[in-house]
Amino acid sequence: MLMESTMQQGALTVAGILRYGLHAFPEAEVITYDGTHGSRISFKEVAQRAAQLANALAGIGIQPSDRVGTFCFNHHEHLESYLGIPASGSVIHTLNVRLAPDQLQFVIDDAGDRAIIVDGIILPMLAQVLDGCPSVETLIVVGAVLDQAVREELSKKLRVLDYEEFLSGAEPTFEWPDIVETDAAMICYSSGTTGNPKGVVYSHRSTYLHAISALPLYGQRSWNILGSKGDIALIVVPMFHAAAWGAPYACWFTGSTMIMPGRFLQAEPLASMIEMFRPTVSSGVPTIWNDLLHYLEEHPTDVSSLRMLTSGGSATPRSLIQEYLDKYGIPVVSGWGMTETSPVCTLAIPPSGTPRERLVDYLETAGKVVPGVELRIVGENQQVQPWDGKALGEIEVRGPWITAGYLGGHGVENFDDGWLRTGDIATVDPEGYVRIVDRTKDVIKSGGEWISSIELENAIMAHPAVAEAAVIAVPDDRWFERPLAFVVVKPGTDLEVAELREFLSTRVAKWWLPERYSFVDAIPRTSVGKFHKKVLREGYQSGVYSIHEVDRSEGSR
Amino acid sequence: MLMESTMQQGALTVAGILRYGLHAFPEAEVITYDGTHGSRISFKEVAQRAAQLANALAGIGIQPSDRVGTFCFNHHEHLESYLGIPASGSVIHTLNVRLAPDQLQFVIDDAGDRAIIVDGIILPMLAQVLDGCPSVETLIVVGAVLDQAVREELSKKLRVLDYEEFLSGAEPTFEWPDIVETDAAMICYSSGTTGNPKGVVYSHRSTYLHAISALPLYGQRSWNILGSKGDIALIVVPMFHAAAWGAPYACWFTGSTMIMPGRFLQAEPLASMIEMFRPTVSSGVPTIWNDLLHYLEEHPTDVSSLRMLTSGGSATPRSLIQEYLDKYGIPVVSGWGMTETSPVCTLAIPPSGTPRERLVDYLETAGKVVPGVELRIVGENQQVQPWDGKALGEIEVRGPWITAGYLGGHGVENFDDGWLRTGDIATVDPEGYVRIVDRTKDVIKSGGEWISSIELENAIMAHPAVAEAAVIAVPDDRWFERPLAFVVVKPGTDLEVAELREFLSTRVAKWWLPERYSFVDAIPRTSVGKFHKKVLREGYQSGVYSIHEVDRSEGSR
């Protein structure tokens, strides 16, 4: 038998996170924005309300392991659920408010949610699917309900309670139970573009370790002892996306002020919040940062408080990173991960001491692994590939916040001897920086060579007249597959195919140049804001898009 | 049955630490100082040599769980042991080179070390105890052996190998085994001032989590993306003290340059290293920082590279912190912990935004708990005390890097329902800052009230003529116990008792003023550099000290 240590086990649990922030930073604040103002609440009050929530849920019969859904934007009530539900032993199931009704119904039913905490303003969206969700007994409504008829109709079938009334009678302390750290804390469904969503069940252990790994993003300034302020985090990434990338728990650990934007996620209110609350850091998808950048061009705003933006969920275009750095001195740090990975696996922090003119070369990568995650790339031959910046392989990851499967045992084909196969194709350079080349299903297989749809999109989006672009593979008689580029031109500008091809010819290999273009008003997006390439492929097959095809003799492969 | 998560277990192991630094920062460097120069070696080379060490140890029959001792100063070879021995499944036992021979023999024998890696220069110290250590079969000698006769004598009884030769034939890769994270990684003996030392066995899990908690101390600068360099850590705290407070593992995680001072721990070579290698952070005991401060007064040195010093092992005097801040702009951050706690439990990071003139008020505390540690204070009535800055209680801690016992089951009386009783008496203020008032065994119980020996010492040491001071309780007819102050006067200065009492009278309560003083050349210290109050008490009882006792009518209690 091997020698055991003398150490305490010291279970890593959400109750531990809750107690830590309460004891270390009772006066730290959470600000929730209502469209014009911010209301402030202290960590101590949030902790007391989390305990009230746990007591009230116990009062309606919610037991350990029972699932409690949230159908909410980002606000302090959602944070109370993040803390109080898992700490009490129940499981929070964060529901994506942008899911299609059939998918929403599927995930509520699949997880077996017994109660759902729901924003009053989107109660009608939830109401339309609840007939297909027999497990749901109780709705707890946050904020005002605009459509009282919906509420009255729901009240005939379910217990419908007001969140503040629900909490008001409950005790503000709770004897948080001892919990086995590998037990469930949170469920988040992976929004695959094919098939039904699949449930990823985060444990207390994974939640805790993932949050700890994110601390430098949200608490770094507190350690600059001489004369700097603590971090203030504007949490734009929705709390229904993979635990908001760990930001709420990380800020709770570091005592950083959290700004919760509610449903006000457009560029204009975000700019207002930045001027009003002066955040130092913010996390969100590239689309948000792109929209904000365009807004700032027209509406000068003081964004000098920001020391860093974090971008993830899809690739961040180099041009976007370059503009934020050049115009505002703000580094945009990309992260890479997925719901299955909690999600943070990598962060594009440049090596210390990188000269300013080389920063973007690192910031535009997917970054290097954070401590806790192990990563490898595996080629078509199933061989682990070298980190030479050239060899391509599918990214595989393992570690304490990487899933080993899905709720109900689905999807085990995604695993390779204990490593999660991610479906992303990448290179890794000798310094450990990962560059995502494509999705395994999006890469364009042209004449035995691979063309990265993402690199092509980035090259196209670098053109000043292009607002956004998406590239898919379409069948080709000669080369088997060739790229088709969907292009959205910026309002008030014109763009000819010939000009775009001329522009691209200096940026990509000649044989990568698409022959097919389609100018569209917008690129369709998935519920989490990514390009919905499945819709583009289907639309192309059914002939809904007008395609401009150039003469092959112009030199394309 | 409770709901399980879908997460991978993702064992937290030293092999995981080793792989992370190797992959993320292969070019980062470890500098070992030889008294005049620094030799550099990359993380990649250290990792390869750690694998060679593991292979070579396996080659001489070292098995998983076998103990391998190190009797070494801080250098890259010691780091190779820190990584390679636990990663391979064996257990590193760091031997304190300052232990008395009987204690050294005891701990080697108690742990059952099969091999010991030893610095050639201190081989004679080890040699004198090995006859009482039958488990030891092999010595592996680092660096030159000055006394070849000792080596030859040892070679008659043991296998004595040269470290470089030992490694030279071995493969530079090792298939690190899967390890249960709660298994033993490192043994460190607690140097109690009474009784035999007791073994604390750190696990892979505790080692990993403790190192992660120390990351902001050693890697913060890497996250300042615009224009700052990475951290460079001068690791002064010996690697035979509680894993050097986690510094080597933390730097390995962050890719921070490590400067290893070898045996050159005096103020003069430390000042040379600071000028030569420009560290940004350094950790050590207060005595070291006190010696350095005095040296700097006489020998102007460029210490501008330092952003922070970390101080622990015993209380850091306020005057010391104030001088570093005022003269050099360097915050000295205290930490609190003990071998039983891995050791870091608290760090005195001031709240963000603290004005400069208030920094010392926070820096002089023991700090607040780091994420992962839970702390409470328990009064004489066994009641948990409030965090009001007034109530006194013994500190109790729990968490994943707090010990639950000792090797061989010793010392279980130190536990209170899963919490480790630390023997330190403290207050905690509403912000969570801990102030150590005394040791339970050092506090002076004067007429039913407690006098803190530590606060008295700090008040005495604030006098400009005092180099250091220690206070113990001595029996008193009227008050049961009264303080006796041992005072070391700075060379070239004079100090009268009357002047010292006058000075103290404005700093402590009148009834705290000691009536008994003894001027000595030095305060005796333990093997880890703390005041050895047991020696002072015994010396007092046997009458070896000359005591100056003031007239009671002067107003003392």
Side-chain angles (χ1 to χ4, degrees):
Chain A
M1 191 187 120
L2 295 183
M3 187 179 197
E4 290 182 7
S5 83
T6 61
M7 292 288 113
Q8 300 182 12
Q9 204 262 343
L12 308 173
T13 67
V14 173
I17 299 176
L18 173 53
R19 277 193 295 260
Y20 183 77
L22 169 62
H23 289 148
F25 306 104
E27 305 302 325
E29 287 184 327
V30 181
I31 301 172
T32 301
Y33 186 67
D34 68 1
T36 45
H37 298 93
S39 63
R40 290 167 188 267
I41 179 171
S42 71
F43 278 22
K44 185 175 178 181
E45 289 169 290
V46 168
Q48 287 174 340
R49 288 166 57 90
Q52 286 180 302
L53 175 61
N55 280 314
L57 287 170
I60 60 164
I62 299 295
Q63 304 280 327
S65 273
D66 281 351
R67 270 72 70 201
V68 178
T70 57
F71 193 69
C72 296
F73 291 99
N74 294 12
H75 42 51
H76 69 82
E77 294 91 345
H78 209 165
L79 179 61
E80 289 150 21
S81 288
Y82 259 52
L83 294 166
I85 294 171
S88 71
S90 306
V91 181
I92 179 174
H93 174 199
T94 54
L95 294 160
N96 186 334
V97 306
R98 300 199 191 109
L99 280 184
D102 58 334
Q103 292 205 323
L104 181 61
Q105 178 180 317
F106 175 84
V107 302
I108 295 171
D109 189 50
D110 192 56
D113 300 338
R114 289 191 60 200
I116 297 178
I117 297 169
V118 50
D119 281 355
I121 199 160
I122 49 176
L123 184 61
M125 289 168 58
L126 185 64
Q128 63 184 316
V129 308
L130 287 178
D131 281 343
C133 305
S135 63
V136 179
E137 304 156 357
T138 307
L139 298 180
I140 304 153
V141 182
V142 177
V145 176
L146 298 183
D147 190 340
Q148 284 298 335
V150 168
R151 179 174 180 147
E152 277 162 32
E153 190 62 29
L154 283 168
S155 299
K156 292 173 189 165
K157 295 173 280 185
L158 299 169
R159 181 164 42 194
V160 183
L161 306 169
D162 176 80
Y163 186 82
E164 289 302 323
E165 285 176 25
F166 188 57
L167 263 55
S168 63
E171 284 294 316
T173 59
F174 192 98
E175 191 69 33
W176 306 114
D178 287 337
I179 287 174
V180 176
E181 70 184 34
T182 49
D183 278 346
M186 180 182 279
I187 301 179
C188 207
Y189 276 75
S190 176
S191 55
T193 43
T194 56
N196 279 320
K198 285 177 272 197
V200 179
V201 187
Y202 303 145
S203 65
H204 286 262
R205 173 184 169 96
S206 72
T207 300
Y208 189 105
L209 292 170
H210 178 260
I212 288 275
S213 83
L215 296 192
L217 289 178
Y218 301 105
Q220 185 215 31
R221 290 204 165 191
S222 320
W223 296 78
N224 276 329
I225 293 166
L226 298 182
S228 106
K229 305 288 186 191
D231 268 328
I232 299 171
L234 173 58
I235 303 177
V236 179
V237 53
M239 294 173 77
F240 51 77
H241 280 188
W245 306 350
Y249 292 126
C251 290
W252 190 262
F253 261 131
T254 57
S256 299
T257 305
M258 289 181 242
I259 306 165
M260 298 296 197
R263 65 181 193 279
F264 305 98
L265 300 173
Q266 306 74 30
E268 184 176 349
L270 288 177
S272 295
M273 283 180 253
I274 291 168
E275 280 206 323
M276 203 177 303
F277 306 123
R278 302 196 59 72
T280 60
V281 291
S282 187
S283 309
V285 293
T287 324
I288 295 269
W289 303 138
N290 194 43
D291 292 349
L292 179 65
L293 188 68
H294 293 152
Y295 178 85
L296 295 178
E297 281 171 23
E298 304 291 320
H299 307 83
T301 303
D302 180 1
V303 296
S304 63
S305 62
L306 289 164
R307 71 169 172 94
M308 176 166 68
L309 295 175
T310 315
S311 182
S314 56
T316 312
R318 181 182 173 102
S319 55
L320 182 71
I321 298 169
Q322 188 80 58
E323 282 200 68
Y324 269 104
L325 193 62
D326 291 348
K327 291 187 180 162
Y328 304 104
I330 301 171
V332 178
V333 173
S334 295
W336 171 85
M338 49 212 293
T339 301
E340 285 83 347
T341 66
S342 290
V344 180
C345 287
T346 65
L347 285 172
I349 305 290
S352 51
T354 301
R356 180 119 176 184
E357 65 273 16
R358 287 222 52 218
L359 284 176
V360 179
D361 296 339
Y362 292 101
L363 292 170
E364 71 163 348
T365 72
K368 62 204 296 184
V369 281
V370 296
V373 174
E374 295 192 73
L375 180 147
R376 66 183 187 184
I377 49 173
V378 177
E380 283 203 287
N381 52 6
Q382 300 306 310
Q383 294 294 304
V384 175
Q385 299 297 303
W387 289 16
D388 60 7
K390 292 174 199 143
L392 287 173
E394 179 176 359
I395 299 176
E396 297 187 349
V397 286
R398 67 176 184 184
W401 57 85
I402 311 297
T403 202
Y406 294 102
L407 188 62
H410 298 298
V412 285
E413 75 276 15
N414 287 347
F415 294 90
D416 175 9
D417 190 26
W419 296 74
L420 175 72
R421 297 179 56 184
T422 67
D424 274 330
I425 294 171
T427 62
V428 185
D429 70 20
E431 288 182 289
Y433 286 86
V434 176
R435 284 174 177 79
I436 309 289
V437 173
D438 218 331
R439 294 289 297 167
T440 47
K441 64 181 190 303
D442 291 336
V443 73
I444 298 139
K445 294 164 185 118
S446 174
E449 300 281 350
W450 284 2
I451 297 173
S452 162
S453 64
I454 294 170
E455 288 186 30
L456 255 185
E457 288 160 6
N458 287 342
I460 297 169
M461 287 192 282
H463 190 287
V466 174
E468 54 185 25
V471 172
I472 63 168
V474 295
D476 184 272
D477 291 341
R478 183 161 177 204
W479 301 109
F480 179 58
E481 283 184 2
R482 288 294 300 159
L484 159 60
F486 291 90
V487 179
V488 180
V489 175
K490 284 184 187 166
T493 60
D494 275 326
L495 182 61
E496 297 291 324
V497 164
E499 182 193 334
L500 181 56
R501 280 173 59 89
E502 175 71 26
F503 177 83
L504 289 177
S505 64
T506 63
R507 283 171 168 75
V508 298
K510 197 170 184 185
W511 61 275
W512 280 35
L513 280 180
E515 302 80 21
R516 299 173 182 87
Y517 297 83
S518 180
F519 291 91
V520 292
D521 293 336
I523 307 290
R525 291 184 182 271
T526 67
S527 59
V528 296
K530 298 182 187 179
F531 290 155
H532 208 328
K533 295 196 179 179
K534 188 181 161 204
V535 170
L536 291 173
R537 286 186 204 103
E538 290 170 356
Y540 173 77
Q541 279 160 19
S542 53
V544 301
Y545 294 113
S546 156
I547 310 291
H548 177 110
E549 188 162 356
V550 301
D551 184 348
R552 290 298 179 106
S553 64
E554 285 178 37
S556 66
R557 182 170 182 173
Chain B
M1 191 185 122
L2 296 183
M3 188 179 196
E4 290 182 5
S5 83
T6 60
M7 293 287 113
Q8 300 181 11
Q9 206 261 344
L12 308 173
T13 66
V14 174
I17 299 175
L18 172 53
R19 277 192 295 260
Y20 184 76
L22 169 61
H23 290 147
F25 306 104
E27 304 302 325
E29 287 184 328
V30 181
I31 301 171
T32 300
Y33 186 67
D34 67 1
T36 46
H37 298 92
S39 63
R40 291 168 188 265
I41 178 172
S42 71
F43 278 21
K44 185 175 178 180
E45 289 169 290
V46 168
Q48 286 173 341
R49 288 165 57 90
Q52 286 180 302
L53 175 60
N55 280 314
L57 287 170
I60 61 165
I62 298 295
Q63 303 280 328
S65 273
D66 280 352
R67 271 72 70 201
V68 178
T70 57
F71 193 70
C72 296
F73 291 99
N74 294 10
H75 42 52
H76 70 81
E77 293 91 344
H78 209 166
L79 179 62
E80 289 151 21
S81 288
Y82 259 51
L83 295 166
I85 295 170
S88 71
S90 307
V91 181
I92 178 173
H93 173 199
T94 54
L95 295 160
N96 187 335
V97 306
R98 301 201 190 106
L99 280 184
D102 58 335
Q103 292 205 323
L104 181 60
Q105 178 178 317
F106 175 84
V107 302
I108 294 171
D109 190 50
D110 192 56
D113 300 338
R114 289 191 60 199
I116 297 177
I117 298 169
V118 50
D119 280 355
I121 199 158
I122 49 176
L123 183 62
M125 289 168 59
L126 184 64
Q128 64 184 315
V129 308
L130 286 179
D131 280 343
C133 305
S135 63
V136 179
E137 304 156 358
T138 308
L139 298 180
I140 304 153
V141 182
V142 177
V145 176
L146 298 183
D147 190 339
Q148 285 298 337
V150 168
R151 179 175 179 147
E152 277 161 33
E153 188 63 28
L154 283 167
S155 298
K156 294 173 188 165
K157 296 173 280 185
L158 299 168
R159 180 163 44 193
V160 182
L161 307 169
D162 175 81
Y163 186 81
E164 290 301 324
E165 284 175 26
F166 188 57
L167 262 55
S168 63
E171 284 295 315
T173 60
F174 193 97
E175 191 68 33
W176 307 114
D178 288 336
I179 286 174
V180 175
E181 69 184 34
T182 49
D183 278 346
M186 179 182 279
I187 301 179
C188 207
Y189 276 75
S190 176
S191 54
T193 42
T194 55
N196 278 322
K198 285 177 273 198
V200 179
V201 187
Y202 302 146
S203 66
H204 286 263
R205 173 185 169 96
S206 72
T207 300
Y208 189 105
L209 291 171
H210 179 260
I212 287 276
S213 83
L215 296 193
L217 289 177
Y218 300 104
Q220 184 215 32
R221 290 205 165 191
S222 320
W223 296 80
N224 276 330
I225 293 167
L226 298 182
S228 106
K229 304 288 186 192
D231 268 328
I232 299 171
L234 173 58
I235 302 177
V236 179
V237 52
M239 293 173 77
F240 51 78
H241 279 188
W245 307 349
Y249 292 126
C251 290
W252 190 262
F253 261 131
T254 57
S256 299
T257 304
M258 289 181 242
I259 305 165
M260 298 298 196
R263 65 181 193 280
F264 304 98
L265 300 173
Q266 305 73 30
E268 184 176 349
L270 288 178
S272 295
M273 281 180 255
I274 291 168
E275 279 206 324
M276 202 178 302
F277 307 122
R278 302 196 59 72
T280 60
V281 292
S282 187
S283 309
V285 293
T287 323
I288 295 269
W289 303 139
N290 194 43
D291 292 349
L292 180 65
L293 188 67
H294 293 151
Y295 178 86
L296 295 178
E297 281 172 23
E298 304 291 320
H299 308 82
T301 303
D302 180 1
V303 295
S304 62
S305 61
L306 289 164
R307 70 168 173 96
M308 177 166 70
L309 295 175
T310 315
S311 182
S314 55
T316 313
R318 181 181 173 103
S319 55
L320 182 70
I321 298 168
Q322 188 80 58
E323 283 200 68
Y324 269 104
L325 193 62
D326 292 349
K327 291 187 180 161
Y328 304 104
I330 301 172
V332 179
V333 173
S334 296
W336 170 85
M338 50 212 294
T339 302
E340 286 82 347
T341 66
S342 290
V344 180
C345 288
T346 65
L347 284 171
I349 304 291
S352 51
T354 301
R356 180 122 178 182
E357 65 274 16
R358 288 223 51 218
L359 283 176
V360 179
D361 296 339
Y362 291 100
L363 292 170
E364 72 163 346
T365 72
K368 62 204 297 183
V369 282
V370 295
V373 174
E374 294 192 74
L375 180 148
R376 66 184 188 185
I377 50 174
V378 177
E380 284 203 287
N381 52 7
Q382 300 307 310
Q383 294 294 304
V384 175
Q385 300 297 303
W387 288 17
D388 59 7
K390 292 173 198 147
L392 288 173
E394 181 176 358
I395 300 176
E396 298 187 350
V397 286
R398 66 175 183 185
W401 57 85
I402 311 297
T403 202
Y406 294 102
L407 188 61
H410 299 298
V412 285
E413 74 276 16
N414 286 346
F415 295 90
D416 175 9
D417 189 27
W419 295 75
L420 174 72
R421 296 178 57 182
T422 67
D424 274 332
I425 295 171
T427 62
V428 186
D429 72 18
E431 289 183 288
Y433 286 87
V434 176
R435 283 173 177 78
I436 309 288
V437 174
D438 218 332
R439 293 288 298 166
T440 47
K441 64 181 191 303
D442 291 336
V443 73
I444 299 139
K445 295 168 183 112
S446 173
E449 300 281 350
W450 285 2
I451 296 173
S452 162
S453 64
I454 293 169
E455 287 186 30
L456 256 185
E457 288 160 5
N458 287 342
I460 297 169
M461 286 192 283
H463 191 287
V466 174
E468 54 185 24
V471 174
I472 63 168
V474 295
D476 184 272
D477 291 340
R478 182 160 179 206
W479 301 108
F480 179 57
E481 282 184 3
R482 287 296 298 162
L484 159 59
F486 292 89
V487 179
V488 180
V489 175
K490 285 183 186 168
T493 60
D494 275 326
L495 182 61
E496 297 293 324
V497 165
E499 182 193 335
L500 181 56
R501 280 174 57 90
E502 175 72 25
F503 177 82
L504 290 177
S505 64
T506 62
R507 283 171 167 74
V508 299
K510 198 169 184 186
W511 62 275
W512 280 36
L513 280 181
E515 301 80 22
R516 299 172 181 88
Y517 297 82
S518 180
F519 290 90
V520 291
D521 293 336
I523 308 289
R525 291 183 182 271
T526 67
S527 59
V528 296
K530 298 181 188 179
F531 291 154
H532 208 327
K533 295 196 178 179
K534 188 180 161 203
V535 171
L536 291 173
R537 286 188 203 101
E538 290 170 355
Y540 173 77
Q541 278 159 19
S542 52
V544 301
Y545 295 112
S546 154
I547 310 289
H548 177 110
E549 188 162 356
V550 301
D551 184 348
R552 291 298 180 105
S553 64
E554 286 178 37
S556 65
R557 184 169 182 172

